[in-house]
Amino acid sequence: MLSTHDLTAFYGDFQALFGIDLEVDAGEIVAIIGANGAGKSTLLKAITGLVPTHSEAVRFMGEAIGGRPAHRILSLGVAMVPEGRRLFPSLTVEENLQLGAYRKRAGPWTLERVYDLFPALREKRRMPSTALSGGQQQMAAIGRALMANPKLLICDEMSLGLAPIVIKSVYDVLPAVVAQGISLLIVEQDVGLAMRVSQRLYCLQEGRVALAGRSQALSREQVSVAYFGI
Amino acid sequence: MSFTVQRATLASRIGAAVAIPLLIALATLPWWGESSWMRTFVEFACLLTLAQMWNLLAGYGGVVSIGQQAFLGLGAYALFVLADHAGVNPFLCVPIAGVIAALIALPTSKVVFRLRGGYFAVGTWVVAEVYRLLIANASFLGGGSGKSLAAVRPFSKSVRESVTFWMALAAVVSAIGLTYLLLRARHGLALTAIRDSERAAASQGIDVDATKLWVYLASAGGSGVAGALYYLNTVRVSPDAAFNVGWTAYIIFIVVIGGIGTIEGPILGTLIFFLLRETLADYGSVYLIVLGAVAVLVMVRFPRGLWGYVQQRFDLRFFPVQRRVRLDAPAGDAPQ
Amino acid sequence: MSGWLDTIIQGVLLGGLYALFAMGLSLIFGVMRLVNIAHGDLIVLAAYLALVVVNATGLNPLAALAICVPAMFLIGYVLQRGLLNFTLGGDILPPLLVTFGLSIIIQNALLQGFSADPRALRLGGFETESFHLGAGIAVGYLPLLVLGVAIALAFALELLFARIPLGRAFRATSDDPEAAQLMGVNDRHVYGLAMGIALGIVAVAAVFYGIRTTFAPTDGPDRLLFAFEAVIIGGLGSFWGTLAGGIVLGVAQTVGFRLDPGWGVLTGHLAFLVVLLFRPTGLFPRTRG
C-alpha cells in the first residue's frame, strides 16, 4: 500500500533522512519508534507532503507521490492525526470533524459514525475545540482524519501529554478502525506500547532505519541497541 | 586556545581610504561648486539620512513604521516656528528641531505601540495624518497653503546655501557614523537580537521595550533633523508636502532596493533613486512606477536587497559591524 | 437639536460606505493576516474600471457591476496567487513592502492613463434624490441603499464564514495553514479565493463611491486609512464589528465636520486613536480560540 524507497529529506542544507525504506501493507499496523531527533516527524512530513522529496521516494497504491503537495496526498487517501492534535481553535468540535471531510472522499466514515466511535464528542459537538480535554482532543483529531475516509491513517505521537488510562482508551479504538479496512502507520514515544499495538515496527536512529522486523519477534535488547545507537 | 575578535575587513580599510579624501573634497564644494549642486546634495543627504533612520528602526530594530514622515514634518515646522516666531537663529534650529521631534515621539510611541506588526505600521501612518491635519488647521502656521521662512532673509544666498550644505553633510555623516558606532557597540548586538527574536532576546535580559523605544526616539530625532534641513533648503513648507506619505514610500524603496539591515544598503539605494529620477525625468511619474516595480521585484527575489546580495556572495563589508572570532594558530604551543 | 440628529443620521449613512470599503480588508485580515496597503488604490482602480465599462457599454454604473465584480474577482485571485502568496509566511515586511509598491504603481499608472482630473459615475439623477424624515432631515436614497448593501454584505460574509465549507476552510487556514493542508485544504487556492472575494467587494464599494463622490488617482491612501480604521474600531474577527466600526467612523467624521469644516477627517482619526488607547481590541472583537 505505502512504500518508501531510499527516502531522503533536507531542511535547507541540513539532511534529516538518509535513505529510508519502509512498507505498510493493506490491513497492517506498523509502528515507527526512535529517540527525539531521529527523524520520525520528518519522515511523516515527507510522506504526507509537507516536506519535499523525490517523486519515486514515496509510493502509495502503486503511484509515485513523493513531493506532491499535502492537500493532494490527502485526496489520494493518506490522512494524518498530527502530533499535538492541532485542532482548529476557531472551529467547534463538529466543524473540525466536518473539515476533515473537505475533500468529500467516498467511504463509510460519516459524522454519525465518528460520534458512534467517540460518544463523548457527540455531547460536546457545538463547543469550541479548545474546550475539550487532552484525551477528547486526541479522539477529535482521530475522528477528523477518519472523516477523510483514508486508506492509510498516520498517527503521530498520540500518547504525548496524555494520562496512561486515557492513552489506553484512545488506542482501544484502533482495532475498530482497522476492521473497516484502514491501514495504520503509528509513531510512538512509548516503545512498549508501540510493540504491543503493531504487527511490524521500524526503529529510526539519526535519519536511518536501525532496526526493522515483526514486533513480536524483536527483543527488548535489540530495540534498545537500535534506539540509542550504542 | 586563544582568539582575537576581528572587526575590520580589507574592504573597510580600502573604503576608509577612499571615503576620507572624498569627504574632504565634498566639504570644500561651496568654493568650487555650483548652487544647484549644493541644493541637490542637500536633498540627497536628507533622503539618505531618512533612509538610515528608517533602516535603523526596521532593519535593525525590527520596528516597521510607515509614519516617519510625521517627524520629518514636525522637524520642519519646528524650524519654521522657532525661527520665525521665536527669533532663534534658523541654522541653530535644525538640531533643536531634531530634539523636538524626538520629544513628540515619546507620547506618540505610547499610542502606536498598542498595535503590532502590519497594524502598527498603518497606525503610525494615521498618527502622521493627525499631525498633518492639526497643522493644516492652524492658520498661524500658514494653514493648508504653508509658509515661507522669513528668518533667512537677513543672510546672503551664498551664506545660506553654504551653511545649509555643510549642515547637511554633517547630518548625513553623523547619521551614518552614529548608526555604525551604535551597531558596533553592545547595543548593536541587542538590536540584532531583538530583530531576530524578541522572546529570545528578552530571555537574555535585554529590555526589549526600552530598546525599541530608544530606537524609535532616535529615528524620530534624526528624521526631524532631516526634515528641518530639507525645508531650510527649499525655504518654503506646507503640510501636504512635509507630511506626505510619499516620503515613506521613497525611503522604503531606497532601503529595500539598496539592502535592508546594512549600512551600505541605504547609500546604494539613494544613489539608485537619484539616478532613476534624473534619467526618467522627462517621463513624468513613470520613474515612480519603475521604482515601485523594482522594489516589488527586489523584495520577492532579493529580500536582502542589492547590497545584501553582494554582501552574501562576495562577503564585502565597508562598514563591518559583525564580529569574527579568529583562532590564533598555536604553532608549537602545548594544548592548555 | 434636529441639526445634531441630522448630523448623526448622515454619519451613519456615510458609515455604510466606509463599511463597504472595510469589508474586503476585514476578510483579508481574517483569513491571512495580510495588511494590504494597496487596498484603497484597488478601490480607485475598480472605480476607473467601472468608468471604462460604463463608457464602453453605455450601461448604468450599477448594471456595470455585473462585469466589474467578476473582473475584480479575477484580478484578486491572480494577484494573490501570482504575487502576494509569495510574501506570506511570518515576516511582516515583505507583504507590507510589496503592497506599498503596488500602491505606488497603481496610483501612478492611473495618473499616466487618466490624468489627475476628478471623474464621476452617474446614475442619471438618482444620486441626489432623497426623502424627508420630518424636522428638516433629508435622507438620500443612494446613501440608504449603500448602508443596506453594507448590512447585507456583513450578513452574507458572516454566513459564509460560519456555515459553508469554504468558510470553515477560511477559518482553519487562518488558524493553522499546515494542519489545514493536511486536511486537504489547498491553502494557496484558498488565499486566492479570499482575495478574489475581497476585490469583488471592493468593486461594489468602488461603484458606490464613484457615484457618491468624484474620484481621482491619488484617492487611494485615504480610502485605505478609513477602511483600516473601521476594521480596528469595530474589532478584528467580526464583520458586524466592521459594519459598526464604519458607522462609528462615519459619525465621528460628520460630527467633526459640523464643528469645523476642516476637522471632519481629523475627528475620525482621533476617534480611532481613542479606541486604540482605551479599547485596543476594538468595540466588538470576536475572540478566536
Side-chain angles (χ1 to χ4, degrees), chain B residues 64 114 137 252 256 260 285 299, chain C residues 93 96-97 108 112 262 277:
Chain B
V64 179
R114 292 278 196 166
N137 276 305
I252 294 188
V256 165
I260 193 168
S285 48
M299 196 71 237
Chain C
L93 210 51
L96 207 70
L97 288 169
N108 287 286
Q112 294 285 119
L277 273 173

Side-chain angles (χ1 to χ4, degrees), chain A residues 154-182:
Chain A
I154 302 179
C155 301
D156 195 354
E157 309 258 17
M158 289 204 298
S159 65
L160 265 189
L162 299 182
I165 198 171
V166 175
I167 297 173
K168 183 178 185 319
S169 62
V170 167
Y171 272 89
D172 280 348
V173 149
L174 294 185
V177 168
V178 177
Q180 295 287 335
I182 297 179

Side-chain angles (χ1 to χ4, degrees), chain A residues 136-208:
Chain A
Q136 289 165 342
Q137 285 193 13
Q138 191 62 71
M139 294 182 188
I142 297 173
R144 184 179 60 175
L146 287 174
M147 289 289 287
N149 280 303
K151 301 217 183 61
L152 173 69
L153 185 67
I154 302 179
C155 301
D156 195 354
E157 309 258 17
M158 289 204 298
S159 65
L160 265 189
L162 299 182
I165 198 171
V166 175
I167 297 173
K168 183 178 185 319
S169 62
V170 167
Y171 272 89
D172 280 348
V173 149
L174 294 185
V177 168
V178 177
Q180 295 287 335
I182 297 179
S183 313
L184 287 179
L185 180 61
I186 298 179
V187 165
E188 242 315 320
Q189 278 278 31
D190 185 337
V191 175
L193 178 59
M195 290 176 76
R196 277 197 307 279
V197 160
S198 62
Q199 283 127 13
R200 286 191 299 113
L201 76 73
Y202 294 86
C203 181
L204 294 188
Q205 207 257 325
E206 287 191 2
R208 293 181 172 79

Side-chain angles (χ1 to χ4, degrees), chain C residues 149-211:
Chain C
V149 170
I151 294 172
L153 215 50
F155 183 72
L157 286 169
E158 287 287 345
L159 209 71
L160 163 68
F161 264 62
R163 299 270 179 217
I164 73 173
L166 180 62
R168 281 195 289 274
F170 279 158
R171 282 183 286 147
T173 310
S174 163
D175 280 343
D176 187 342
E178 207 177 60
Q181 285 176 56
L182 288 172
M183 300 301 130
V185 175
N186 182 349
D187 58 335
R188 308 278 112 185
H189 176 60
V190 160
Y191 292 144
L193 287 179
M195 183 58 84
I197 294 174
L199 291 198
I201 298 171
V202 156
V204 174
V207 165
F208 283 117
Y209 169 55
I211 296 172

